[in-house]
Amino acid sequence: RIDAPRPQTAMAVAEAARVGEGWFPLEDWGVWTRPATAMLRLPLPPGLSGPLRLELALRAPARDQVAALRLRREGQPFGPAVEVLLPANSTRGAGLDVPAGDGAVEVMLEPATPATLPDGRRVGLGLEALSLARADSVADRLAALEARFFRTPRPLEA
């Protein structure tokens, strides 16, 4: 989710990160996955080949949800599944260590049990936010947290 009055490059990047048919359209809070596996693909600029830390803010529908998260660098096999328990109607963070290597970071999100929203849609889990930072850089990881939780006021243009 990107709050901006005009289109920005970051909006296109956020839209492109969701791969395949496993996603509903973006909403103002984030995005729901469909009941099956959903995939994220995060292309990286050159120079980010070292270990990284991926943080996901996941949302549960109106029922407890167990999700399996699997991660890899493009071209490598997926690592073991990490299970995340999301109590009904909650948002929880999940941190994943990304191994060193080249290529995009790819994540599979596999919800255990679909839920039905009041509008009749069957969903898996929600993704409110994600961030990726160098694992060995406290400054990068802190900047990602600040960008998510703190809005820096900008002067109004006359």
Side-chain angles (χ1 to χ4, degrees):
R1 181 183 78 187
I2 300 168
D3 296 328
R6 289 175 283 193
Q8 298 178 1
T9 303
M11 292 174 175
V13 173
E15 190 70 34
R18 295 175 294 130
V19 176
E21 300 295 320
W23 302 93
F24 281 99
L26 287 172
E27 299 183 33
D28 63 350
W29 61 267
V31 62
W32 287 112
T33 67
R34 295 187 187 275
T37 300
M39 186 169 197
L40 290 169
R41 185 174 185 279
L42 308 168
L44 301 177
L48 283 181
S49 59
L52 303 171
R53 180 74 174 174
L54 175 65
E55 300 287 341
L56 303 171
L58 302 172
R59 176 186 278 198
R63 70 177 305 159
D64 290 352
Q65 184 64 270
V66 175
L69 309 175
R70 295 171 50 95
L71 180 139
R72 72 176 178 186
R73 288 279 188 142
E74 185 178 30
Q76 301 297 317
F78 278 97
V82 174
E83 283 194 350
V84 178
L85 172 62
L86 301 164
N89 297 312
S90 71
T91 298
R92 295 282 166 95
L96 300 170
D97 293 320
V98 180
D102 293 317
V105 174
E106 297 177 333
V107 183
M108 284 195 311
L109 298 94
E110 302 170 0
T113 309
T116 303
L117 297 179
D119 65 9
R121 288 182 294 165
R122 301 274 293 159
V123 300
L125 58 125
L127 176 64
E128 290 187 4
L130 63 87
S131 66
L132 193 61
R134 291 177 294 183
D136 62 351
S137 174
V138 174
D140 283 0
R141 293 173 69 179
L142 182 58
L145 287 171
E146 286 182 344
R148 176 158 182 242
F149 290 106
F150 301 106
R151 301 282 186 227
T152 303
R154 296 181 186 184
L156 294 175
E157 295 180 21

